[in-house]
Amino acid sequence: MNILLRELRANLKSIIIWSLSMIFLIYVGMVKYSGFEAAGQGINELFDQMPSAIKSIFGISGLDLTSISGFYGIFFLYFMLLGGIHAVMLGAVIIAKEERDKTADFLFVKPVVRARVITAKLTAAFINIVILNIVTLVSSILIVSIYNKGNSISSQILNLMLALFIIQVIFLALGAGIGAFTRNTKKSTSLASTILLSAFMLSVAIDLYKELDFLEFLTPFKYFKTAQVMGSGSFEPIYLLLSLVIITACTAITYLLYKKRDIHI
Amino acid sequence: MNVIEINKLTKYYGKSRGIIDVSFDVKEGEIFGFIGPNGAGKSTTIRTLLSLIYPTSGSAKIFGKDCIKQGEEIRKEIGYLPSEVFYYDNMRVIDLLKYSASFYKNVNKSRIYELAEIMNLDLKKKIDDLSYGNKKKVGIVQGLLHSPKLIILDEPTSGLDPLMQQKFFDLINEENKKGATVLFSSHILSEVQKMCDRVGIIKDGKMVRVDDIHTLQSANYKKFRIEMKEAVTAEYFKLEGVSDLSVDKTTVNFIFSGDINKVIAKIHDKTISNLIVEEPDLEEIFMHYYEKEA
């Protein structure tokens, strides 16, 4: 419990900043929507003329930008990116920082087994991503309701947040695995961001070249299709299973590797 | 009873040598000095005892329990002060000490204030704002606040001014009198000489010798200084047991271990103007060991 509280406190400032950025992003985005809505159908025609590469990078392919749910769908890409970066960095740093800050010699000479330390740290990180998810959910519902003149899309937002949450957990587990695997924090954070960006680039590449879609399983950004999640609220079982496998495997690797490794400072 | 039993402990970092076949015991209630130059393997041995690192082969027991398998239980009774101290920078001293205390059962919180008072430590400051010496004091307090049965010190005095060093030694002596066993690693011999009952000498990852400090100091070694009437060659004093021999015309210096009569017989035939025989200090013995083994 003491380690958990310590980690929550250590990450307090960071989660506040992340939450505020998320709220800011949603607010600014919805302000733009009011402009789009006013412009009407012309906007969709304009975007249709854009090259599909640009559209997929901005996450606007297949969405009706003049409807509030279509517009809100754009956010999902940014939520995934932000949530993914937050989670993968948090996971990598929370594991590796004791050696970076050389506090490992303090912590691990205490009467604790390493598994307990990992559990406390992962729990703290998990609470952090839940907070970010809830902040995104609540601020989305509130801000959207200001601009929404039609039917409520709260249940669609909720579905997206569920998908976002799974992606956050995947990246958290990946980050933790990387943190336990690499020897120093610099390496672990650069490896973590490399993996995240590669996954993102791959998802864009798949949007551009449909022949690549057999690679979808490699990038969590492709596990949940915005239109599908928002439309029917359904997830593809194969990707849910894959998510579960990645999360379980990475968590197991984190425990196993960290238990066996030498602590160097 | 032995508090620490180390049995053929070996640690390689990849291919590079950490320690090889290190074996020694530390008895209950003693202050054991663990000496060797930097890089000899002192910290590797200590870090293995604390199961921060895992041995390549061999084993170590503390309180009769295996260091790796029962590490958590063992560490309840260990206080450790590393040579360099690092703590969570944005914490206040008192918060760090309370955090440290929260890992142990039944810590008497007044002990924190008591120790801080002795070490003259400001509890309200942030760790970040502390000087190196003051961080070291935090280290001392957090190492002792749970009244451990075994105190492990790895080059503890660096960064402490002489006054604080003295207070620190008094504190350790007091804990020792209350029953704590102390493993004291250092490359500064004078402090080991002052504090310890027995010493182990480690060099290039191997134990060279474990001995009672008085045995090491007095029984075997004499330091000779002979001033001759006439110049002699170094050859003349090349006896078995002679080391660190230096001859400067008529003045001869060496350290001798063995039957002293052999030296007397040598100088019996010569006319000498002065003869000094004294106890070497530990430093000289130590250097002697190192040169001999090299």
Side-chain angles (χ1 to χ4, degrees):
Chain A
M1 202 60 184
N2 48 1
I3 303 173
L4 175 64
L5 290 175
R6 164 91 207 104
E7 288 298 341
L8 286 177
R9 180 169 282 202
N11 282 296
L12 184 64
K13 213 189 256 174
S14 145
I15 189 65
I16 290 174
I17 293 171
W18 276 98
S19 299
L20 290 177
S21 322
M22 211 48 136
I23 295 171
F24 183 73
L25 171 83
I26 297 165
Y27 176 71
V28 170
M30 289 315 292
V31 167
K32 282 217 175 83
Y33 169 72
S34 55
F36 272 45
E37 195 201 20
Q41 203 51 37
I43 288 290
N44 276 339
E45 282 160 21
L46 177 70
F47 278 106
D48 275 345
Q49 287 161 12
M50 280 168 66
S52 55
I54 305 289
K55 282 202 287 187
S56 59
I57 287 172
F58 288 109
I60 54 181
S61 38
L63 296 169
D64 173 11
L65 298 179
T66 53
S67 82
I68 192 140
S69 64
F71 189 86
Y72 184 80
I74 304 176
F75 287 123
F76 187 55
L77 181 76
Y78 300 98
F79 290 160
M80 284 198 296
L81 258 180
L82 282 180
I85 293 170
H86 174 248
V88 82
M89 290 299 180
L90 182 62
V93 170
I94 209 165
I95 300 295
K97 70 175 175 185
E98 300 291 342
E99 282 167 281
R100 175 192 68 188
D101 300 339
K102 306 188 182 211
T103 47
D105 266 15
F106 168 84
L107 186 58
F108 292 106
V109 302
K110 301 279 176 258
V112 286
V113 287
R114 292 192 193 171
R116 200 183 114 196
V117 176
I118 297 290
T119 305
K121 280 172 174 285
L122 289 183
T123 309
F126 187 78
I127 292 174
N128 271 283
I129 63 169
V130 169
I131 291 173
L132 188 62
N133 193 286
I134 291 176
V135 166
T136 312
L137 172 72
V138 172
S139 56
S140 290
I141 290 177
L142 290 180
I143 297 170
V144 164
S145 71
I146 299 173
Y147 294 96
N148 189 4
K149 293 175 186 123
N151 295 330
S152 163
I153 59 161
S154 296
S155 66
Q156 286 162 299
I157 293 176
L158 197 65
N159 285 338
L160 275 188
M161 289 308 127
L162 210 57
L164 174 64
F165 178 67
I166 297 172
I167 285 173
Q168 283 177 293
V169 180
I170 292 175
F171 278 110
L172 175 64
L174 270 172
I178 291 165
F181 171 73
T182 48
R183 269 245 178 127
N184 64 52
T185 327
K186 264 186 204 153
K187 261 189 216 155
S188 58
T189 50
S190 64
L191 186 60
S193 48
T194 308
I195 287 180
L196 182 119
L197 284 176
S198 322
F200 179 65
M201 296 316 280
L202 180 63
S203 78
V204 172
I206 292 170
D207 279 340
L208 296 181
Y209 308 103
K210 292 284 175 241
E211 313 86 78
L212 290 175
D213 64 1
F214 65 96
L215 291 173
E216 279 188 347
F217 71 95
L218 283 175
T219 165
F221 293 110
K222 279 281 159 209
Y223 289 5
F224 305 101
K225 317 272 184 307
T226 314
Q228 191 188 344
V229 171
M230 288 189 84
S232 59
S234 66
F235 301 135
E236 286 180 53
I238 178 74
Y239 287 124
L240 279 181
L241 186 69
L242 194 54
S243 305
L244 193 68
V245 169
I246 296 175
I247 292 163
T248 315
C250 286
T251 310
I253 284 171
T254 307
Y255 277 95
L256 286 176
L257 287 181
Y258 210 76
K259 205 178 144 192
K260 292 253 192 279
R261 70 187 275 180
D262 287 347
I263 303 283
H264 293 288
I265 60 163
Chain B
M1 200 196 116
N2 290 329
V3 169
I4 303 177
E5 291 174 9
I6 302 177
N7 186 21
K8 292 200 167 174
L9 204 61
T10 300
K11 174 68 183 175
Y12 278 91
Y13 299 104
K15 276 186 180 161
S16 67
R17 180 271 306 160
I19 48 173
I20 302 163
D21 280 345
V22 166
S23 301
F24 66 89
D25 299 331
V26 177
K27 295 183 187 117
E28 188 172 11
E30 77 173 337
I31 302 183
F32 187 93
F34 190 33
I35 44 182
N38 297 327
K42 301 189 296 288
S43 292
T44 299
T45 309
I46 287 174
R47 295 175 73 80
T48 314
L49 289 177
L50 294 163
S51 63
L52 286 167
I53 56 177
Y54 294 102
T56 311
S57 66
S59 65
K61 281 182 179 173
I62 295 180
F63 310 125
K65 294 169 187 159
D66 186 87
C67 273
I68 304 301
K69 288 183 197 126
Q70 290 160 288
E72 184 194 13
E73 226 172 296
I74 291 168
R75 290 195 298 270
K76 285 178 188 165
E77 301 291 351
I78 292 183
Y80 170 57
L81 178 62
S83 51
E84 288 181 78
V85 289
F86 294 96
Y87 300 115
Y88 306 94
D89 280 348
N90 53 8
M91 276 176 114
R92 287 188 313 151
V93 175
I94 185 67
D95 294 331
L96 180 99
L97 293 174
K98 281 183 177 162
Y99 182 45
S100 181
S102 71
F103 286 92
Y104 306 97
K105 276 181 196 141
N106 310 322
V107 173
N108 186 355
K109 289 271 158 57
S110 65
R111 175 100 174 124
I112 294 176
Y113 296 96
E114 201 180 298
L115 287 167
E117 174 90 37
I118 296 170
M119 294 313 292
N120 203 2
L121 177 66
D122 184 352
L123 291 172
K124 292 204 180 78
K125 277 199 171 166
K126 273 199 162 189
I127 302 278
D128 221 3
D129 300 333
L130 295 182
S131 68
Y132 185 70
N134 278 322
K135 274 189 197 165
K136 199 93 195 194
K137 291 183 196 171
V138 177
I140 294 167
V141 177
Q142 70 83 30
L144 297 177
L145 57 82
H146 54 296
S147 307
K149 285 187 191 147
L150 171 64
I151 301 170
I152 296 180
L153 309 166
D154 192 358
E155 314 245 352
T157 52
S158 63
L160 287 180
D161 63 56
L163 188 69
M164 277 304 146
Q165 281 190 21
Q166 197 46 54
K167 281 188 178 175
F168 169 67
F169 287 139
D170 292 346
L171 208 54
I172 296 295
N173 270 323
E174 204 180 300
E175 289 299 308
N176 179 243
K177 279 199 193 100
K178 280 195 253 168
T181 308
V182 183
L183 174 63
F184 185 148
S185 140
S186 181
H187 65 271
I188 304 162
L189 286 140
S190 53
E191 59 182 31
V192 173
Q193 202 164 2
K194 251 191 300 189
M195 297 275 296
C196 299
D197 308 313
R198 290 194 308 145
V199 288
I201 300 173
I202 188 169
K203 188 204 168 195
D204 294 338
K206 291 178 182 163
M207 290 304 285
V208 180
R209 186 171 180 154
V210 177
D211 227 331
D212 193 280
I213 199 142
H214 303 293
T215 321
L216 199 62
Q217 203 169 353
S218 58
N220 293 324
Y221 294 94
K222 297 288 174 219
K223 194 165 106 182
F224 277 86
R225 182 184 171 88
I226 309 165
E227 286 162 25
M228 319 288 295
K229 270 273 187 261
E230 284 155 25
V232 285
T233 58
E235 280 304 311
Y236 189 73
F237 282 100
K238 279 230 166 110
L239 291 167
E240 204 190 320
V242 166
S243 57
D244 287 354
L245 178 63
S246 74
V247 179
D248 179 24
K249 285 175 191 158
T250 56
T251 311
V252 184
N253 285 297
F254 57 86
I255 289 175
F256 179 75
S257 99
D259 182 1
I260 218 160
N261 289 305
K262 287 183 183 157
V263 183
I264 302 297
K266 272 280 179 192
I267 54 181
H268 181 254
D269 300 338
K270 301 275 181 183
T271 319
I272 58 171
S273 60
N274 201 357
L275 170 65
I276 303 164
V277 184
E278 43 179 18
E279 303 288 343
D281 60 28
L282 203 53
E283 194 101 19
E284 283 162 313
I285 299 171
F286 188 64
M287 288 316 291
H288 162 74
Y289 264 109
Y290 270 72
E291 279 159 21
K292 197 172 73 179
E293 299 288 326

